[in-house]
Amino acid sequence: MHLTRHTDYALRLLMLLAAEPDKLHTIEEAARRYGVSRNHLMKVAQTLTQAGFVKGIRGRAGGLKLALPPEEINLGKVVRATEENFNIVECFDMEVNTCPIARNCGLKTPLREAATAFLNVLDGYALSDLAAKPGAAQTIRRLAV
């Protein structure tokens, strides 16, 4: 399994918002702290807002904050909301599939089971579990402000 940058940045942004819950974070500040593209992070924030994980506060003193408590933000749901699909091999998408053995290939079932297992593991974790790792929140807070 490979997660897109969109999902990677979404998880990072959520961890920042969880580590500093009393502060509103701008996209510019989060992008600078993580050393990532502001434009890409803007798209990520839009996805997270539309999915109900993040709330955007407009105005001069605005920014982003969590829309839910960290214990209510399920990692499996976040990944499902931020990943376009889970077609880990070409034959999972019959519209673009060119594999000549796809119809009778025995590989599809174990790969689908693996993708399902991957998501099932993430379903067992909340954003609060990420912050529970010793030193995690402190490391995020120390990112260049």
Side-chain angles (χ1 to χ4, degrees), residues 6-54:
H6 193 81
T7 299
D8 179 17
Y9 292 177
L11 293 168
R12 290 190 212 185
L13 181 57
L14 289 171
M15 288 188 289
L16 174 63
L17 299 180
E20 298 176 345
D22 297 329
K23 180 179 178 194
L24 291 177
H25 295 272
T26 65
I27 291 169
E28 292 79 10
E29 175 228 343
R32 186 180 66 251
R33 288 175 78 172
Y34 279 122
V36 300
S37 161
R38 177 193 171 280
N39 290 337
H40 197 108
L41 200 57
M42 190 174 298
K43 293 174 189 172
V44 168
Q46 182 179 14
T47 299
L48 292 172
T49 300
Q50 289 171 343
F53 300 118
V54 169

Side-chain angles (χ1 to χ4, degrees), residues 44-98:
V44 168
Q46 182 179 14
T47 299
L48 292 172
T49 300
Q50 289 171 343
F53 300 118
V54 169
K55 182 176 181 179
I57 308 298
R58 296 187 182 272
R60 211 167 72 113
L64 302 172
K65 68 178 189 174
L66 293 179
L68 300 166
E71 55 275 2
E72 292 181 26
I73 298 178
N74 179 273
L75 297 186
K77 288 181 180 179
V78 172
V79 170
R80 286 179 185 87
T82 56
E83 284 294 316
E84 188 173 313
N85 65 60
F86 294 94
N87 296 337
I88 57 177
V89 288
E90 177 187 337
C91 62
F92 279 19
D93 184 350
M94 293 311 288
E95 291 182 21
V96 297
N97 180 45
T98 60

Side-chain angles (χ1 to χ4, degrees), residues 100-120:
I101 64 169
R103 178 180 284 169
N104 296 311
C105 180
L107 189 56
K108 281 197 268 188
T109 298
L111 290 178
R112 277 198 204 283
E113 289 176 9
T116 299
F118 176 77
L119 291 169
N120 287 341

